[in-house]
Amino acid sequence: SRFETCWPALMKDSHGVIIIFNPELPSHLKEIEMWYSCFVQQQPLLDSQCLLVAHHKPGSAGDMENLSLAYPLNKLKLIHSNLEEDPEDVRMEFIKYFRSIITIINESREKEEMSIIS
């Protein structure tokens, strides 16, 4: 893609990756494997630092329960967003995700400080 040259700048010092995709487009299901590979595995980030969001457009009859992703994507936290029906659920999931990222950042900072002290 024409943005690939910007990727290293986007990735630099990032602590988390949120991948939003349309589960009804087969091409998106292939693309998220590439995004995961580039932005999570190659950095490397932990799987817990990545959140997948399957976004269902208004009026789409998307089957939310039966989206089965192949390995390694099936190890990731996956939430379904449908802003018509339950925006509050999505908001709570984002808050949980951001809290987990903050915990990871704080833990790695403490480890660094301890290694400097010792």
Side-chain angles (χ1 to χ4, degrees):
S1 108
R2 59 201 163 121
F3 295 115
E4 273 177 54
T5 49
C6 310
W7 288 1
L10 284 174
M11 290 191 245
K12 188 178 170 347
D13 300 331
S14 65
H15 296 289
V17 175
I18 298 173
I19 300 173
I20 301 173
F21 65 100
N22 181 343
E24 288 156 54
L25 292 180
S27 63
H28 274 206
L29 298 178
K30 284 256 58 81
E31 277 175 37
I32 55 177
E33 286 177 29
M34 186 243 342
W35 291 110
Y36 171 74
S37 167
C38 293
F39 280 84
V40 181
Q41 289 178 311
Q42 286 174 31
Q43 288 216 70
L45 292 177
L46 301 168
D47 284 342
S48 57
Q49 288 167 278
C50 182
L51 178 65
L52 288 182
V53 182
H55 184 64
H56 300 267
K57 286 197 188 138
S60 68
D63 186 354
M64 290 204 186
E65 298 312 308
N66 293 325
L67 177 65
S68 59
L69 296 171
Y71 181 86
L73 299 172
N74 59 6
K75 301 183 300 176
L76 304 173
K77 171 87 176 142
L78 167 69
I79 64 171
H80 291 272
S81 74
N82 181 332
L83 301 179
E84 274 184 324
E85 283 172 29
D86 222 336
E88 191 52 32
D89 265 13
V90 175
R91 203 173 73 90
M92 290 313 297
E93 289 292 350
F94 269 101
I95 290 169
K96 263 196 278 187
Y97 170 71
F98 288 126
R99 282 199 183 125
S100 72
I101 295 293
I102 290 165
T103 304
I104 289 167
I105 294 168
N106 288 340
E107 282 170 2
S108 70
R109 193 170 290 152
E110 278 166 26
K111 270 192 206 127
E112 269 172 40
E113 286 166 4
M114 290 311 289
S115 68
I116 293 166
I117 292 165
S118 53

